[in-house]
Amino acid sequence: MLRLVIRRLLQLIPTLFGLSVLLFLWLNKLPGGPAAAMLGERATPEAKARVEAALGLDQPLWVQYGRFLGRLVKGDLGTSSQTGQPVLDELVLRFPATVELGLSAILIAIVVGIPLGYFAARRRGSWLDVTAVSGSLLGICIPVFFLAFLLRMVFSVHLGWFPAFGRQSTGINATEVTGFFVLDGILTGEFDAAWDAINHLVLPALALSSIPLAIIVRMTRASVLEVLGEDYVRTAESKGLSNSVVRVRHVLRNALLPVVTAIGLLTGGLLSGAVLTESVFSFGGIGSFLKTAIDARDYPVLVGFIMFIAMTYVVINLIVDLAYSVIDPRVRVH
Amino acid sequence: MRISRSRVAKTIAATLAVGVIVTACGSERGQEDDGGGKPFVFGAAGDPRSLDPSLASDGETFRVTRQAFEALIEHEPGGSEMAPGLAEKWSSNDGGTEWTFNLRKGVKFHDGEDFNAAAVCANYDRWYNWKGVYQFDAISYYWQKVFDGFAENENKDLPESNYAGCEAKDDHTAVIKVNKATANLPGGFSLQAFAIHSPKAIAAYEKDKPSGAADSINYPKYTQEAGTVAGTGPFRIVKWNKGNKEISLEKFDDYWGDKAKVDKLVFRTIDTEDGRRQALQAGNIQGYDLVAPGDVKKLADQGFQVPVRDVFNIFYLAFTEEQNKAFADKKVRMAIAHAIDKENIVNTQLPDGGKVATQFMPDTIEGYSDKIQPIKHDPEQSKKLLDEAGVKNLKVDFCYPTEVTRPYMPAPADIFQIMKSDLEGVGIKVTPKPMKWNPDYIETTRDGKCGLYLLGWTGDFNDGYNFIGTWFGGYQKEWGFRDNTVFKAVKAAGAEPDVTKRVELYKKANEVIMDYLPGIPISSSPPSIAFGKDVNPPKVSPLTQENFAEASFK
Amino acid sequence: MSTKTDKIDRLAELTARSETSTGASLWVEAFRRLRSSKMAIIGACVIALFVALAIVGPWLAPYSAEAQTWRNEVFRNQGIFVGPRAENWFGLDHLGRDEFSRFLVGARQTLLVGVVATLLGFTVGALLGGLSGAALTLGGRVGRRIDTVVMRFIDMMLALPSLLLAVSVAAVLGQSLTTVMIAVGVVQIPIFARLLRGAMLAQGGSDYVLAARALGVRKRRIVFSQILPNSLSPVIVQATLCLATAIIEAAALSYLGLGNPDPAVPEWGVMLAQSQEFFDAAPMLAVYPALGIIITALGFTLLGEAMREALDPKLRS
């Protein structure tokens, strides 16, 4: 186990190194180059030259890269050109919101998706199956931003059930501890605040969960179908083991293995979805921050975010791999 | 483990259903008044950049700070005339170089300090003595615009400062001197960027410099969290919750004037235009700005309040003559002016109250000339002029901004499409150059790299120089022409200290400019603002300077 | 989209599992099952309709899609739009253009973006994956090295959210329709690469390969004449699914303002993103392109899924 962790962490180094080279080249290839990106509105040639000298842009490329890498290693991702604050601070500040949203979406996907997929497979061809399959297909095919827009239109504007935007109502004076608003509310005993935060989460999480939900339903359905055909299930059934034992011990457990992997792999896609969902709902997380960064050509934020995400992604996958080998010792991780 | 699975499934389904129902009820409860003053929530289009207005030049920042900070001169509620602010009276000497302010008495800052002449001078001297990163154009935009340079210019491109010092004659008389008369004063004194801060706060600011490596501007901490900044306004800033994109202000009980009618004022950022509208419709916010023109009628029909502002802006189509040589010929410029159907743009795209413009100034500004005739939409005339100029198959690069709504142009991409279709109608080939507003578009147009582009301006104060002075006072890359008749006419007006004479000179200048035709003024239109059914909105301002202390719940 | 990787690896496995030893009979068998699948037939019909629309649509369009012929009848600033009527079947858009014509012409643009992007992703991805798979199957230290390097690169690409990848491409190349295609295509590269590599590895372990090897057939020949052709089926299935994703991703890019720079040229994603601004006044202007996108994406997904099931012997009922 330890060896596996160490090996994975070592593998992380070349990946991140390669990524930093790519990002550095990308920054340099931008129209106008970094100096123009930083000077903004009125870059006179003189001002540009001054900044380039100050940045060391007149030095050879590899020297510049060395400096770039040096800053990255120190955790210095630069300063956001929109807010004038260190990129790392900005990302850390908004991270909890996105995690909260992403987790809620995944939770919805799991809680609804696994049972739905399971029963769809058990009753293959029934109306439930047809609904689940076509519903999940639709979930993949409807553009997330449009779904989010429709949800808000129906549930906040017309029905008034849920707030139309944000993470928290204005009147609520919640204490902030961790930045996860739901958790904070529970920790501090301010259940009003926690409840309010949940209310704000419902619509964006529903919109964001559309794709993972669809995928989990279909994954579960497919792998349950497959397991149902396996010999050991037939054996178990023929041995007269009670139906529920067969279902839980043999079918569901074995069928869930690939689903677990899939959940790990969903995170990358979730972030793309979060950019869209969060900006529709003005949810103060990384996603909507990125949208404004894209609009404002805030390159330090984009670069910083890419590094940040690459690391998170690798770590998440490491955890999933470990979880996998814990659930099923037969799995050898290559 | 022995429980039947299907029962578990049923339980889960039931829990989910209950959850949804309970949640539904919960949200209603959330909207109830919890005894204390209900907050007045305004939906902002973007986060402010800082809480210190002297470092800002953008509307979203000023909208917030304006509630907490006041300048020496303010504007009348709902109008563009200057009115007493922290100064009850002001006057200048004949040469326009010495401005005397009789300050209001009994004014307190949010941190308990007294407002007096020394405080005024501390502020102006602070700006004048700015060094390092503070001298960047992005931070001290308005200081550079009104007073040119600093005590010690660190950049040789900066012009010498026009500021010549501030003197506290007595406790309540401050005198600000400049080297030469300028049309930017006294209007400049009314800018929110020159709002007066508490001297104690200024001392604290000094310890907290923007950590500026040359590469980028890092705003100082005090501008990013409430607590340090202190002004004299009817509200004080109590919290900036960046995670929730909201800034909370509370009523300032020791305010010198009419106290705020709501206890709490909150600005919350809602990124998208339809998000703001739906938040208002859902009752989550009490108002928002820059309503899309198409929503105005709908919202009004639904019972929302959509008060109309006075027009105080200009929207134009600019030529950059150096980018496209064909534009050097006035006939070509005239041909394009005849090709564009301005009426259609005003009738179908701009909010109610929009007008076709005849010059680079709205008619609400003194100095607007009635003598200038509008250029008619006349494709035939346009083709004829192009023939006369001997230009065939004219090709133009046409830049327009995407993803942006400006107070003077609600839907740039659509306006572009209308113009493109008009230009193609007279045989001009248009290459679309869409760009993100900031920095791409602003930078490219300023550098004179677009043949045609769309831009506009909302006035900061009521003086013609605020409009035509910045564009036509001398050679500008963004216009790319050199015409001394135009430059001289504008400069002469700007240097005239006498107001009545100046207005006449502005009229002249406008006529000269339109005779040269460096661009095509398209329209002036009032940007719409909307409020909920349950509030008494503040007076709307042509300068988009609403004072939320006037707002209250019904 | 990395959400697809689950399917990728699975698909790769599946093909290797089939009991048939040659690719051809696998396909025959799969096709037979495809014909009896309702999903496949519906999907194929939708796609056929869409492709036909994309090809002949511009000729069918009664008016120019870009001419603002009726621009004095639509008052966007007052929320006055013109709905369906005899001469304009879908009504007018916000600039007084015929919405029906725009819808028809938009079909071609939308398909173009999807197909070109997927082709790009397919080609580059298959090259990388093929290289990696071949290198690994041929074995040796060098082979493993090549595989490691390529896969590191692919993992890196997978780690990035697709939208950001697209933004990065757009930032360097500037905004154009080509950029949209490249951006959407680049996102698919790792999917195809991983898929082909996985399939080749799985094939490498199958009986017929072992048999061929035992008979003394040279490794290189096995790779190129047996393994590679047999591994292509999951990749082709994936391409069908990716077409659906490509169309949706292109719409998302338009929503983020990174779409086609000339908004006069109709494209469903752009039309949908734009019409959201006046949804209250003219909801149908959003509904037409939205339905277009959803139904088309559904068509490709249905066919792709059906193909996958047809190729998967375990899922046979």
Side-chain angles (χ1 to χ4, degrees):
Chain A
M1 181 69 92
L2 191 66
R3 267 186 60 196
L4 173 73
V5 174
I6 292 173
R7 210 168 75 195
R8 273 314 189 94
L9 288 178
L10 285 178
Q11 276 177 4
L12 193 67
I13 294 170
T15 310
L16 291 179
F17 179 75
L19 199 62
S20 71
V21 173
L22 280 184
L23 286 176
F24 175 74
L25 291 177
W26 176 60
L27 266 183
N28 267 282
K29 271 276 163 295
L30 287 176
M38 282 156 182
L39 272 175
E41 305 199 351
R42 284 175 209 177
T44 58
E46 299 83 36
K48 220 160 159 176
R50 257 202 325 278
V51 169
E52 279 176 356
L55 284 174
L57 293 179
D58 42 0
Q59 287 169 348
L61 216 56
W62 62 271
V63 177
Q64 294 182 40
Y65 173 72
R67 204 170 297 144
F68 174 77
L69 192 66
R71 280 196 294 128
L72 278 186
V73 169
K74 277 186 283 173
D76 178 3
L77 298 177
T79 304
S80 156
S81 67
Q82 304 170 78
T83 63
Q85 295 299 300
V87 170
L88 193 64
D89 292 6
E90 294 286 358
L91 292 179
V92 168
L93 174 77
R94 291 172 172 84
F95 196 54
T98 304
V99 172
E100 208 171 49
L101 178 63
L103 281 181
S104 316
I106 286 281
L107 197 73
I108 294 178
I110 291 175
V111 168
V112 180
I114 291 182
L116 204 60
Y118 176 75
F119 288 113
R122 293 301 301 221
R123 296 179 204 154
R124 199 178 178 193
S126 72
W127 65 266
L128 181 78
D129 186 26
V130 173
T131 320
V133 170
S134 44
S136 67
L137 285 177
L138 201 66
I140 286 185
C141 292
I142 187 165
V144 171
F145 65 92
F146 189 58
L147 177 66
F149 178 85
L150 289 181
L151 280 175
R152 186 179 56 199
M153 176 104 171
V154 173
F155 291 101
S156 0
V157 178
H158 289 299
L159 295 174
W161 289 2
F162 301 104
F165 75 101
R167 294 181 67 196
Q168 208 170 51
S169 294
T170 321
I172 291 207
N173 204 356
T175 329
E176 217 175 305
V177 190
T178 58
F180 296 91
F181 285 0
V182 178
L183 187 68
D184 283 357
I186 295 168
L187 283 181
T188 54
E190 292 162 352
F191 296 108
D192 269 26
W195 190 242
D196 177 68
I198 292 175
N199 264 310
H200 280 81
L201 268 173
V202 173
L203 292 184
L206 270 180
L208 187 57
S209 74
S210 67
I211 290 178
L213 175 63
I215 289 175
I216 288 182
V217 167
R218 289 187 320 166
M219 284 286 300
T220 315
R221 178 177 174 273
S223 60
V224 166
L225 278 182
E226 188 173 325
V227 172
L228 283 175
E230 296 281 359
D231 295 339
Y232 58 83
V233 175
R234 295 213 192 109
T235 318
E237 268 167 347
S238 63
K239 267 172 30 190
L241 276 181
S242 92
N243 223 355
S244 56
V245 174
V246 177
R247 275 183 205 151
V248 175
R249 239 185 242 166
H250 297 284
V251 179
L252 210 50
R253 211 168 104 190
N254 284 302
L256 282 187
L257 276 173
V259 178
V260 172
T261 327
I263 292 170
L265 289 166
L266 282 172
T267 25
L270 269 184
L271 270 165
S272 287
V275 173
L276 297 168
T277 319
E278 284 187 12
S279 42
V280 172
F281 285 101
S282 290
F283 201 82
I286 288 185
S288 60
F289 185 57
L290 271 182
K291 161 87 161 90
T292 50
I294 292 170
D295 283 349
R297 292 279 189 270
D298 193 343
Y299 293 117
V301 166
L302 296 181
V303 168
F305 177 75
I306 290 173
M307 288 309 280
F308 188 76
I309 277 316
M311 266 184 268
T312 324
Y313 180 84
V314 176
V315 170
I316 286 177
N317 274 301
L318 178 62
I319 295 172
V320 169
D321 277 352
L322 292 180
Y324 208 77
S325 60
V326 170
I327 298 176
D328 186 355
R330 286 170 306 172
V331 175
R332 276 181 302 139
V333 183
H334 303 282
Chain B
M1 271 317 221
R2 289 270 162 198
I3 330 162
S4 136
R5 290 299 113 182
S6 61
R7 208 191 296 161
V8 172
K10 271 179 206 151
T11 321
I12 291 172
T15 318
L16 276 176
V18 171
V20 169
I21 293 163
V22 172
T23 317
C25 304
S27 74
E28 276 157 33
R29 195 196 49 156
Q31 283 166 13
E32 270 171 33
D33 191 352
D34 55 349
K38 193 170 153 190
F40 187 99
V41 188
F42 192 82
D47 293 336
R49 295 177 68 103
S50 98
L51 296 181
D52 180 351
S54 23
L55 309 185
S57 56
D58 65 300
E60 292 304 338
T61 302
F62 289 150
R63 194 200 307 284
V64 175
T65 62
R66 188 163 279 129
Q67 314 308 325
F69 291 91
E70 294 167 306
L72 292 172
I73 306 178
E74 291 287 328
H75 293 101
E76 55 170 354
S80 59
E81 287 305 312
M82 279 183 269
L86 288 176
E88 286 175 315
K89 270 194 303 203
W90 64 92
S91 58
S92 78
N93 64 353
D94 291 341
T97 54
E98 235 183 77
W99 294 88
T100 308
F101 296 91
N102 300 93
L103 304 179
R104 205 174 283 282
K105 294 182 180 109
V107 175
K108 281 217 179 299
F109 285 105
H110 297 158
D111 57 3
E113 295 285 296
D114 287 323
F115 168 75
N116 52 32
V120 172
C121 287
N123 275 277
Y124 276 85
D125 286 341
R126 170 192 175 219
W127 300 321
Y128 177 57
N129 287 306
W130 263 344
K131 290 195 178 71
V133 181
Y134 282 122
Q135 292 195 4
F136 279 30
D137 180 276
I139 277 203
S140 49
Y141 173 79
Y142 273 113
W143 178 267
Q144 295 187 31
K145 195 174 158 186
V146 177
F147 296 104
D148 304 326
F150 299 90
E152 291 164 39
N153 285 342
E154 292 175 17
N155 178 347
K156 59 180 179 346
D157 302 340
L158 281 172
E160 202 181 317
S161 182
N162 193 26
Y163 178 79
C166 173
E167 190 193 337
K169 273 248 167 82
D170 59 56
D171 235 19
H172 295 284
T173 314
V175 179
I176 294 174
K177 288 178 200 154
V178 290
N179 292 324
K180 52 183 193 299
T182 159
N184 282 325
L185 298 178
F189 294 120
S190 73
L191 291 171
Q192 172 64 195
F194 302 140
I196 304 298
H197 299 239
S198 145
K200 200 166 119 193
I202 290 180
Y205 299 168
E206 287 306 311
K207 290 188 202 119
D208 188 8
K209 292 233 159 65
S211 59
D215 61 343
S216 52
I217 297 152
N218 205 339
Y219 279 101
K221 275 272 171 306
Y222 81 85
T223 66
Q224 302 297 311
E225 47 195 45
T228 318
V229 293
T232 57
F235 291 96
R236 54 193 187 87
I237 301 171
V238 290
K239 194 177 175 195
W240 185 356
N241 182 340
K242 286 191 178 177
N244 203 32
K245 296 167 161 253
E246 76 176 34
I247 295 191
S248 313
L249 296 93
E250 261 169 27
K251 177 174 161 183
F252 178 46
D253 291 323
D254 293 332
Y255 183 59
W256 57 267
D258 291 338
K259 298 199 175 37
K261 296 193 177 107
V262 288
D263 289 343
K264 279 183 198 150
L265 171 66
V266 176
F267 291 94
R268 297 194 66 172
T269 305
I270 306 176
D271 300 323
T272 58
E273 198 284 317
D274 52 83
R276 292 189 286 279
R277 186 191 70 230
Q278 294 190 342
L280 181 74
Q281 288 170 327
N284 300 143
I285 59 173
Q286 274 70 46
Y288 74 99
D289 202 352
L290 299 188
V291 179
D295 294 335
V296 170
K297 195 169 166 289
K298 194 110 189 166
L299 285 172
D301 288 348
Q302 288 167 357
F304 294 96
Q305 308 176 63
V306 197
V308 179
R309 285 167 164 147
D310 279 344
V311 176
F312 209 66
N313 59 24
I314 190 81
F315 169 46
Y316 59 83
L317 171 68
F319 302 116
T320 305
E321 290 182 20
E322 283 170 347
Q323 199 271 347
N324 194 325
K325 295 288 177 242
F327 294 152
D329 188 341
K330 194 192 164 186
K331 281 187 177 144
V332 176
R333 301 200 295 274
M334 205 56 182
I336 292 178
H338 279 302
I340 303 281
D341 188 354
K342 289 177 279 192
E343 282 81 8
N344 179 268
I345 294 169
V346 171
N347 289 340
T348 65
Q349 303 296 320
L350 296 177
D352 251 1
K355 291 173 208 160
V356 172
T358 60
Q359 54 201 288
F360 284 90
M361 234 183 232
D363 59 4
T364 39
I365 297 239
E366 286 167 55
Y368 176 89
S369 167
D370 298 324
K371 287 189 201 143
I372 301 173
Q373 290 304 310
I375 304 171
K376 284 205 187 76
H377 172 54
D378 186 349
E380 289 316 311
Q381 177 69 9
S382 173
K383 283 181 200 159
K384 213 178 107 199
L385 282 168
L386 284 174
D387 273 350
E388 279 174 26
V391 187
K392 280 190 190 104
N393 303 324
L394 177 60
K395 275 187 199 157
V396 296
D397 287 345
F398 196 147
C399 304
Y400 69 94
T402 55
E403 306 293 298
V404 77
T405 297
R406 304 302 295 166
Y408 45 82
M409 73 179 164
D414 292 333
I415 293 173
F416 160 76
Q417 289 187 63
I418 293 177
M419 291 185 176
K420 177 173 177 249
S421 150
D422 283 339
L423 292 175
E424 285 171 349
V426 298
I428 298 171
K429 259 203 128 66
V430 175
T431 315
K433 302 256 176 194
M435 288 167 211
K436 294 278 184 193
W437 172 249
N438 186 22
D440 301 13
Y441 187 72
I442 295 173
E443 194 179 305
T444 323
T445 53
R446 287 237 170 93
D447 280 355
K449 288 179 190 145
C450 298
L452 291 173
Y453 63 89
L454 302 171
L455 216 57
W457 181 254
T458 302
D460 292 314
F461 46 79
N462 195 344
D463 189 288
Y465 204 74
N466 191 250
F467 282 83
I468 55 175
T470 35
W471 300 319
F472 307 124
Y475 169 76
Q476 299 277 345
K477 255 188 177 172
E478 52 182 299
W479 299 94
F481 73 95
R482 292 168 205 273
D483 186 277
N484 279 326
T485 340
V486 172
F487 297 164
K488 250 193 242 158
V490 175
K491 268 193 199 143
E496 174 58 54
D498 182 82
V499 179
T500 0
K501 281 186 199 157
R502 192 153 76 209
V503 167
E504 284 313 309
L505 286 174
Y506 282 142
K507 288 186 184 170
K508 264 270 172 47
N510 274 325
E511 287 153 24
V512 173
I513 293 168
M514 284 314 287
D515 188 51
Y516 181 80
L517 202 70
I520 306 167
I522 304 292
S523 61
S524 296
S525 60
S528 311
I529 185 168
F531 291 96
K533 301 166 188 171
D534 57 337
V535 297
N536 302 307
K539 277 213 186 76
V540 291
S541 146
L543 304 161
T544 65
Q545 301 180 350
E546 283 73 28
N547 175 7
F548 286 89
E550 299 164 9
S552 62
F553 284 96
K554 272 180 185 161
Chain C
M1 223 188 194
S2 50
T3 50
K4 293 275 183 213
T5 44
D6 52 316
K7 290 187 223 146
I8 304 176
D9 295 337
R10 211 184 123 58
L11 253 172
E13 261 174 64
L14 292 177
T15 42
R17 267 196 217 149
S18 69
E19 311 83 53
T20 46
S21 61
T22 57
S25 54
L26 174 78
W27 280 103
V28 171
E29 157 83 356
F31 186 68
R32 191 180 57 73
R33 262 186 285 141
L34 258 187
R35 264 191 323 193
S36 60
S37 155
K38 242 184 265 165
M39 249 164 77
I41 291 170
I42 299 175
C45 287
V46 170
I47 295 170
L49 192 75
F50 173 60
V51 172
L53 208 62
I55 293 170
V56 301
W59 288 297
L60 284 183
Y63 307 99
S64 153
E66 295 179 31
Q68 301 157 5
T69 318
W70 294 274
R71 79 174 184 200
N72 287 320
E73 291 177 43
V74 177
F75 297 90
R76 182 192 167 177
N77 55 355
Q78 291 160 46
I80 300 173
F81 287 81
V82 176
R85 57 183 185 186
E87 66 238 78
N88 310 101
W89 293 358
F90 283 5
L92 300 177
D93 83 344
H94 62 292
L95 289 176
R97 296 173 292 206
D98 182 48
E99 178 77 2
F100 185 60
S101 304
R102 288 182 70 71
F103 182 81
L104 288 179
V105 177
R108 176 180 286 186
Q109 290 288 324
T110 310
L111 185 72
L112 200 68
V113 173
V115 168
V116 175
T118 309
L119 262 179
L120 176 82
F122 181 90
T123 318
V124 181
L127 275 177
L128 284 175
L131 172 73
S132 187
L136 204 58
T137 323
L138 288 175
R141 271 209 13 220
V142 183
R144 277 203 299 277
R145 275 278 162 75
I146 295 179
D147 175 63
T148 313
V149 171
V150 174
M151 285 332 275
R152 280 288 139 258
F153 182 69
I154 295 296
D155 277 353
M156 225 156 63
M157 290 182 74
L158 266 180
L160 298 183
S162 47
L163 279 175
L164 262 196
L165 217 59
V167 170
S168 321
V169 175
V172 176
L173 297 182
Q175 208 177 337
S176 72
L177 196 62
T178 326
T179 311
V180 177
M181 293 173 185
I182 294 178
V184 176
V186 162
V187 171
Q188 299 178 346
I189 292 176
I191 303 174
F192 286 112
R194 242 179 106 132
L195 184 58
L196 186 62
R197 172 180 176 270
M200 285 176 73
L201 288 190
Q203 290 281 338
S206 62
D207 296 341
Y208 73 92
V209 172
L210 295 179
R213 218 181 269 177
L215 286 172
V217 182
R218 279 179 48 206
K219 261 192 192 168
R220 197 168 301 169
R221 232 191 107 189
I222 303 178
V223 169
F224 290 106
S225 64
Q226 303 283 329
I227 296 183
L228 196 60
N230 279 330
S231 307
L232 277 176
S233 56
V235 186
I236 290 166
V237 172
Q238 185 62 41
T240 321
L241 291 169
C242 273
L243 264 168
T245 328
I247 289 170
I248 296 165
E249 293 247 331
L253 283 183
S254 301
Y255 179 73
L256 291 179
L258 299 165
N260 191 348
D262 189 352
V265 179
E267 193 261 321
W268 290 348
V270 180
M271 288 163 73
L272 175 59
Q274 233 175 26
S275 55
Q276 238 159 278
E277 287 165 28
F278 30 83
F279 189 84
D280 269 9
M284 289 315 282
L285 290 185
V287 169
Y288 300 128
L291 278 182
I293 290 174
I294 295 172
I295 292 176
T296 315
L298 214 56
F300 283 112
T301 313
L302 278 173
L303 185 69
E305 289 291 320
M307 276 161 73
R308 199 142 63 101
E309 277 197 22
L311 281 169
D312 187 345
K314 291 261 162 132
L315 294 181
R316 256 181 265 166
S317 42

